[in-house]
PDB file of all heavy atoms in Angstrom:
ATOM      1  N   LEU A  22      11.423  64.748-192.700  1.00  0.00           N
ATOM      2  CA  LEU A  22      10.051  65.219-192.888  1.00  0.00           C
ATOM      3  C   LEU A  22       9.058  64.263-192.245  1.00  0.00           C
ATOM      4  O   LEU A  22       8.099  64.681-191.580  1.00  0.00           O
ATOM      5  CB  LEU A  22       9.767  65.368-194.388  1.00  0.00           C
ATOM      6  CG  LEU A  22       8.347  65.849-194.748  1.00  0.00           C
ATOM      7  CD1 LEU A  22       8.086  67.218-194.118  1.00  0.00           C
ATOM      8  CD2 LEU A  22       8.198  65.928-196.271  1.00  0.00           C
ATOM      9  N   ARG A  23       9.296  62.951-192.471  1.00  0.00           N
ATOM     10  CA  ARG A  23       8.381  61.958-191.890  1.00  0.00           C
ATOM     11  C   ARG A  23       8.380  62.032-190.361  1.00  0.00           C
ATOM     12  O   ARG A  23       7.347  61.922-189.711  1.00  0.00           O
ATOM     13  CB  ARG A  23       8.802  60.558-192.338  1.00  0.00           C
ATOM     14  CG  ARG A  23       8.514  60.271-193.795  1.00  0.00           C
ATOM     15  CD  ARG A  23       9.086  58.937-194.197  1.00  0.00           C
ATOM     16  NE  ARG A  23       8.890  58.673-195.620  1.00  0.00           N
ATOM     17  CZ  ARG A  23       9.446  57.663-196.269  1.00  0.00           C
ATOM     18  NH1 ARG A  23      10.266  56.839-195.623  1.00  0.00           N
ATOM     19  NH2 ARG A  23       9.213  57.484-197.558  1.00  0.00           N
ATOM     20  N   LEU A  24       9.558  62.240-189.802  1.00  0.00           N
ATOM     21  CA  LEU A  24       9.669  62.292-188.356  1.00  0.00           C
ATOM     22  C   LEU A  24       8.955  63.515-187.775  1.00  0.00           C
ATOM     23  O   LEU A  24       8.256  63.439-186.765  1.00  0.00           O
ATOM     24  CB  LEU A  24      11.155  62.318-187.972  1.00  0.00           C
ATOM     25  CG  LEU A  24      11.485  62.137-186.484  1.00  0.00           C
ATOM     26  CD1 LEU A  24      10.917  60.821-185.978  1.00  0.00           C
ATOM     27  CD2 LEU A  24      12.981  62.184-186.268  1.00  0.00           C
ATOM     28  N   VAL A  25       9.113  64.646-188.435  1.00  0.00           N
ATOM     29  CA  VAL A  25       8.445  65.875-187.999  1.00  0.00           C
ATOM     30  C   VAL A  25       6.931  65.718-188.041  1.00  0.00           C
ATOM     31  O   VAL A  25       6.208  66.097-187.118  1.00  0.00           O
ATOM     32  CB  VAL A  25       8.894  67.067-188.864  1.00  0.00           C
ATOM     33  CG1 VAL A  25       8.030  68.285-188.585  1.00  0.00           C
ATOM     34  CG2 VAL A  25      10.349  67.396-188.580  1.00  0.00           C
ATOM     35  N   LEU A  26       6.430  65.133-189.153  1.00  0.00           N
ATOM     36  CA  LEU A  26       4.981  64.924-189.279  1.00  0.00           C
ATOM     37  C   LEU A  26       4.462  63.987-188.204  1.00  0.00           C
ATOM     38  O   LEU A  26       3.368  64.177-187.660  1.00  0.00           O
ATOM     39  CB  LEU A  26       4.660  64.370-190.674  1.00  0.00           C
ATOM     40  CG  LEU A  26       4.857  65.336-191.845  1.00  0.00           C
ATOM     41  CD1 LEU A  26       4.604  64.619-193.180  1.00  0.00           C
ATOM     42  CD2 LEU A  26       3.928  66.539-191.720  1.00  0.00           C
ATOM     43  N   LEU A  27       5.248  62.939-187.923  1.00  0.00           N
ATOM     44  CA  LEU A  27       4.833  61.979-186.900  1.00  0.00           C
ATOM     45  C   LEU A  27       4.737  62.643-185.527  1.00  0.00           C
ATOM     46  O   LEU A  27       3.761  62.471-184.788  1.00  0.00           O
ATOM     47  CB  LEU A  27       5.824  60.816-186.864  1.00  0.00           C
ATOM     48  CG  LEU A  27       5.552  59.737-185.786  1.00  0.00           C
ATOM     49  CD1 LEU A  27       4.200  59.079-186.020  1.00  0.00           C
ATOM     50  CD2 LEU A  27       6.661  58.703-185.777  1.00  0.00           C
ATOM     51  N   VAL A  28       5.748  63.407-185.168  1.00  0.00           N
ATOM     52  CA  VAL A  28       5.752  64.104-183.877  1.00  0.00           C
ATOM     53  C   VAL A  28       4.591  65.104-183.803  1.00  0.00           C
ATOM     54  O   VAL A  28       3.886  65.210-182.798  1.00  0.00           O
ATOM     55  CB  VAL A  28       7.097  64.822-183.652  1.00  0.00           C
ATOM     56  CG1 VAL A  28       7.032  65.724-182.418  1.00  0.00           C
ATOM     57  CG2 VAL A  28       8.217  63.805-183.522  1.00  0.00           C
ATOM     58  N   PHE A  29       4.331  65.833-184.884  1.00  0.00           N
ATOM     59  CA  PHE A  29       3.241  66.819-184.920  1.00  0.00           C
ATOM     60  C   PHE A  29       1.887  66.143-184.720  1.00  0.00           C
ATOM     61  O   PHE A  29       1.027  66.622-183.982  1.00  0.00           O
ATOM     62  CB  PHE A  29       3.286  67.564-186.255  1.00  0.00           C
ATOM     63  CG  PHE A  29       2.192  68.574-186.415  1.00  0.00           C
ATOM     64  CD1 PHE A  29       2.249  69.808-185.753  1.00  0.00           C
ATOM     65  CD2 PHE A  29       1.080  68.306-187.214  1.00  0.00           C
ATOM     66  CE1 PHE A  29       1.238  70.731-185.901  1.00  0.00           C
ATOM     67  CE2 PHE A  29       0.066  69.223-187.362  1.00  0.00           C
ATOM     68  CZ  PHE A  29       0.140  70.448-186.705  1.00  0.00           C
ATOM     69  N   ALA A  30       1.707  64.977-185.408  1.00  0.00           N
ATOM     70  CA  ALA A  30       0.435  64.246-185.298  1.00  0.00           C
ATOM     71  C   ALA A  30       0.208  63.751-183.878  1.00  0.00           C
ATOM     72  O   ALA A  30      -0.906  63.804-183.338  1.00  0.00           O
ATOM     73  CB  ALA A  30       0.420  63.082-186.280  1.00  0.00           C
ATOM     74  N   VAL A  31       1.284  63.249-183.238  1.00  0.00           N
ATOM     75  CA  VAL A  31       1.157  62.755-181.858  1.00  0.00           C
ATOM     76  C   VAL A  31       0.784  63.891-180.904  1.00  0.00           C
ATOM     77  O   VAL A  31      -0.105  63.765-180.060  1.00  0.00           O
ATOM     78  CB  VAL A  31       2.476  62.081-181.412  1.00  0.00           C
ATOM     79  CG1 VAL A  31       2.435  61.777-179.905  1.00  0.00           C
ATOM     80  CG2 VAL A  31       2.711  60.799-182.200  1.00  0.00           C
ATOM     81  N   VAL A  32       1.450  65.046-181.036  1.00  0.00           N
ATOM     82  CA  VAL A  32       1.168  66.197-180.174  1.00  0.00           C
ATOM     83  C   VAL A  32      -0.265  66.680-180.351  1.00  0.00           C
ATOM     84  O   VAL A  32      -0.995  66.953-179.391  1.00  0.00           O
ATOM     85  CB  VAL A  32       2.167  67.336-180.451  1.00  0.00           C
ATOM     86  CG1 VAL A  32       1.749  68.619-179.708  1.00  0.00           C
ATOM     87  CG2 VAL A  32       3.569  66.923-180.041  1.00  0.00           C
ATOM     88  N   CYS A  33      -0.704  66.792-181.603  1.00  0.00           N
ATOM     89  CA  CYS A  33      -2.079  67.233-181.883  1.00  0.00           C
ATOM     90  C   CYS A  33      -3.101  66.254-181.303  1.00  0.00           C
ATOM     91  O   CYS A  33      -4.128  66.639-180.752  1.00  0.00           O
ATOM     92  CB  CYS A  33      -2.293  67.378-183.390  1.00  0.00           C
ATOM     93  SG  CYS A  33      -1.447  68.806-184.097  1.00  0.00           S
ATOM     94  N   GLY A  34      -2.833  64.970-181.442  1.00  0.00           N
ATOM     95  CA  GLY A  34      -3.752  63.961-180.921  1.00  0.00           C
ATOM     96  C   GLY A  34      -3.900  64.048-179.420  1.00  0.00           C
ATOM     97  O   GLY A  34      -5.011  63.963-178.873  1.00  0.00           O
ATOM     98  N   ILE A  35      -2.748  64.235-178.743  1.00  0.00           N
ATOM     99  CA  ILE A  35      -2.792  64.361-177.274  1.00  0.00           C
ATOM    100  C   ILE A  35      -3.579  65.604-176.866  1.00  0.00           C
ATOM    101  O   ILE A  35      -4.389  65.584-175.934  1.00  0.00           O
ATOM    102  CB  ILE A  35      -1.357  64.413-176.700  1.00  0.00           C
ATOM    103  CG1 ILE A  35      -0.664  63.060-176.921  1.00  0.00           C
ATOM    104  CG2 ILE A  35      -1.376  64.774-175.220  1.00  0.00           C
ATOM    105  CD1 ILE A  35       0.807  63.069-176.545  1.00  0.00           C
ATOM    106  N   TYR A  36      -3.392  66.717-177.585  1.00  0.00           N
ATOM    107  CA  TYR A  36      -4.093  67.968-177.262  1.00  0.00           C
ATOM    108  C   TYR A  36      -5.595  67.824-177.450  1.00  0.00           C
ATOM    109  O   TYR A  36      -6.395  68.210-176.594  1.00  0.00           O
ATOM    110  CB  TYR A  36      -3.554  69.093-178.144  1.00  0.00           C
ATOM    111  CG  TYR A  36      -4.304  70.395-177.976  1.00  0.00           C
ATOM    112  CD1 TYR A  36      -4.089  71.196-176.848  1.00  0.00           C
ATOM    113  CD2 TYR A  36      -5.233  70.812-178.931  1.00  0.00           C
ATOM    114  CE1 TYR A  36      -4.778  72.391-176.684  1.00  0.00           C
ATOM    115  CE2 TYR A  36      -5.929  71.994-178.779  1.00  0.00           C
ATOM    116  CZ  TYR A  36      -5.707  72.783-177.660  1.00  0.00           C
ATOM    117  OH  TYR A  36      -6.392  73.941-177.497  1.00  0.00           O
ATOM    118  N   ILE A  37      -5.995  67.241-178.587  1.00  0.00           N
ATOM    119  CA  ILE A  37      -7.426  67.060-178.873  1.00  0.00           C
ATOM    120  C   ILE A  37      -8.068  66.130-177.846  1.00  0.00           C
ATOM    121  O   ILE A  37      -9.187  66.371-177.366  1.00  0.00           O
ATOM    122  CB  ILE A  37      -7.624  66.508-180.296  1.00  0.00           C
ATOM    123  CG1 ILE A  37      -7.207  67.569-181.338  1.00  0.00           C
ATOM    124  CG2 ILE A  37      -9.076  66.087-180.538  1.00  0.00           C
ATOM    125  CD1 ILE A  37      -7.167  67.057-182.770  1.00  0.00           C
ATOM    126  N   LEU A  38      -7.369  65.069-177.477  1.00  0.00           N
ATOM    127  CA  LEU A  38      -7.893  64.125-176.487  1.00  0.00           C
ATOM    128  C   LEU A  38      -8.099  64.803-175.140  1.00  0.00           C
ATOM    129  O   LEU A  38      -9.126  64.607-174.482  1.00  0.00           O
ATOM    130  CB  LEU A  38      -6.934  62.945-176.341  1.00  0.00           C
ATOM    131  CG  LEU A  38      -7.360  61.852-175.331  1.00  0.00           C
ATOM    132  CD1 LEU A  38      -8.687  61.231-175.750  1.00  0.00           C
ATOM    133  CD2 LEU A  38      -6.280  60.796-175.205  1.00  0.00           C
ATOM    134  N   SER A  39      -7.142  65.640-174.725  1.00  0.00           N
ATOM    135  CA  SER A  39      -7.267  66.333-173.436  1.00  0.00           C
ATOM    136  C   SER A  39      -8.425  67.319-173.443  1.00  0.00           C
ATOM    137  O   SER A  39      -9.138  67.477-172.451  1.00  0.00           O
ATOM    138  CB  SER A  39      -5.963  67.061-173.108  1.00  0.00           C
ATOM    139  OG  SER A  39      -5.716  68.099-174.040  1.00  0.00           O
ATOM    140  N   MET A  40      -8.635  68.002-174.593  1.00  0.00           N
ATOM    141  CA  MET A  40      -9.759  68.942-174.714  1.00  0.00           C
ATOM    142  C   MET A  40     -11.090  68.216-174.602  1.00  0.00           C
ATOM    143  O   MET A  40     -12.024  68.682-173.963  1.00  0.00           O
ATOM    144  CB  MET A  40      -9.658  69.691-176.054  1.00  0.00           C
ATOM    145  CG  MET A  40      -8.531  70.707-176.097  1.00  0.00           C
ATOM    146  SD  MET A  40      -8.786  72.066-174.939  1.00  0.00           S
ATOM    147  CE  MET A  40     -10.194  72.859-175.720  1.00  0.00           C
ATOM    148  N   CYS A  41     -11.200  67.064-175.252  1.00  0.00           N
ATOM    149  CA  CYS A  41     -12.446  66.285-175.220  1.00  0.00           C
ATOM    150  C   CYS A  41     -12.758  65.815-173.807  1.00  0.00           C
ATOM    151  O   CYS A  41     -13.902  65.866-173.346  1.00  0.00           O
ATOM    152  CB  CYS A  41     -12.344  65.075-176.153  1.00  0.00           C
ATOM    153  SG  CYS A  41     -12.348  65.515-177.902  1.00  0.00           S
ATOM    154  N   ILE A  42     -11.717  65.341-173.108  1.00  0.00           N
ATOM    155  CA  ILE A  42     -11.915  64.881-171.730  1.00  0.00           C
ATOM    156  C   ILE A  42     -12.379  66.029-170.846  1.00  0.00           C
ATOM    157  O   ILE A  42     -13.276  65.896-170.013  1.00  0.00           O
ATOM    158  CB  ILE A  42     -10.613  64.258-171.178  1.00  0.00           C
ATOM    159  CG1 ILE A  42     -10.297  62.960-171.926  1.00  0.00           C
ATOM    160  CG2 ILE A  42     -10.731  64.000-169.673  1.00  0.00           C
ATOM    161  CD1 ILE A  42      -8.939  62.360-171.565  1.00  0.00           C
TER     162      ILE A  42
END
Side-chain angles (χ1 to χ4, degrees):
L22 179 60
R23 288 174 183 171
L24 190 58
V25 170
L26 291 176
L27 178 62
V28 171
F29 179 76
V31 170
V32 171
C33 288
I35 293 173
Y36 175 76
I37 292 171
L38 180 61
S39 65
M40 288 295 292
C41 290
I42 293 173

